[in-house]
Amino acid sequence: MKDPARYPHLAAIEAPADLRRVPDEELPAVADELRQYLIEAVASSGGHFGAGLGVVELTVALHHVFDTPTDRLVWDVGHQCYPHKILTGRRERITTIKKKDGLAPFPRREESEYDTFGVGHSSTSISAALGMAIAAQRKGDPRKVVAVIGDGAMTAGMAFEALNHGGDVEPNMLVVFNDNGMSISENVGAMTKMMSRALASRRLNAVRERAKRAIPKQSFVGRFVKRWEEHAKGMFVPSTLFEELGFHYTGPIDGHNIPQLLAALRTVKNLPGPQLLHVITTKGKGYAPAEEAQIEYHAVGPFDPQAGLVKKNAPARPTYTDIFSDWLCDQAAPTHACSASPRRCAKAPAWCASPGNTPSATSTWRLPNSTR
């Protein structure tokens, strides 16, 4: 570390065992330093950015509460694993990601004992953690197993296959559901609508708790409020879906509030059977430009953190990506014959909104006879 004085807490952490010796009240300072170090590191070398910023507090809390690497921590996809790598002995090499002989941009088992599963694609974490949990249970091994999966990855069939299996065999495992409303681009679909109701439920809980303190429990109004609360819970909170699949649901909680995270993780850590902890986070948290432009800051090249990303002039000639993305978006246009066969173009709308593939980011070059 070039300037340990700027990061007094982080400089003392060479492994999660060091983090677990840090008192609870100092962990927010650790998270602040970790976030600033991540901003400077990615700004100097490029890499995945927004997802990592969004899980800084969660990463600190997980490594503080669980005895990694004995306890298994499985990250889904891996876009968000940079803070994890910084805390697990790879701080000085974090700027070597995507360079020759450098660190991998995703968790890689050959790289560290803390990377329990090699990933790079979405929705595999629950299945991997489930296998580890079943194996540990059969061996009588008391280690804990945790999967961290985002709301974008949770929409895939493989994630639901794992939930279906886990709820049936009932191993001791924890799924941390990191809900930030984003994939690489914005989330779409019924799951997203349900999660937006969960966000509303967090606000509802705050109102409910204030009402409880103000209204006597045994009064007519108090009994009415209690009955209304039970009916409203199923309408606002997505617990029913996960609990019907056999997972005990906790949440939603603020994924940037370390005391809340510690309390929740310590509670679910020792509960038997499959557990699901729902945390609400913000992609790009702590760096205003990344919070405001979450798609553009998903992955970045080197940039000045004071100025943010600077738009570059379009190249004189279109790139292969320009041509292919323009064609794919044209094929997905409602006026194209493709609209009669939606399965053929199912992935195109989301892909068109990926970083570097938005209409504002691509060239004005178009295929002949464009239907746009």
Side-chain angles (χ1 to χ4, degrees), residues 139-285:
K139 292 169 58 179
D141 189 337
R143 69 174 43 166
K144 310 298 181 183
V145 183
V146 182
V148 183
I149 184 170
D151 49 324
M154 187 64 91
T155 62
M158 189 171 184
F160 278 91
E161 289 177 12
L163 290 172
N164 177 60
H165 188 190
D168 180 46
V169 298
E170 299 183 340
N172 297 328
M173 66 177 294
L174 169 63
V175 174
V176 177
F177 182 28
N178 175 36
D179 181 2
N180 64 14
M182 293 289 293
S183 298
I184 295 176
S185 184
E186 294 180 4
N187 288 333
V188 295
M191 174 72 76
T192 299
K193 294 177 181 177
M194 184 181 72
M195 290 307 119
S196 67
R197 291 198 297 271
L199 184 60
S201 78
R202 200 157 53 118
R203 302 187 183 103
L204 180 71
N205 286 340
V207 174
R208 182 190 66 183
E209 292 303 318
R210 287 196 292 270
K212 281 183 177 180
R213 290 192 293 268
I215 302 172
K217 292 182 180 179
Q218 300 306 317
S219 67
F220 172 78
V221 176
R223 293 194 298 272
F224 173 79
V225 169
K226 177 64 177 176
R227 293 186 63 183
W228 174 84
E229 176 186 354
E230 294 302 317
H231 289 291
K233 182 179 179 182
M235 185 167 55
F236 284 98
V237 182
S239 58
T240 304
L241 170 66
F242 298 114
E243 294 199 344
E244 288 298 325
L245 286 169
F247 280 72
H248 178 264
Y249 174 92
T250 302
I253 66 170
D254 183 352
H256 301 297
N257 185 311
I258 286 184
Q260 281 189 28
L261 286 169
L262 293 177
L265 288 171
R266 286 167 176 159
T267 297
V268 299
K269 177 181 179 180
N270 295 311
L271 292 178
Q275 307 292 321
L276 187 139
L277 175 62
H278 185 180
V279 301
I280 306 292
T281 62
T282 300
K283 190 172 183 178
K285 179 71 174 178

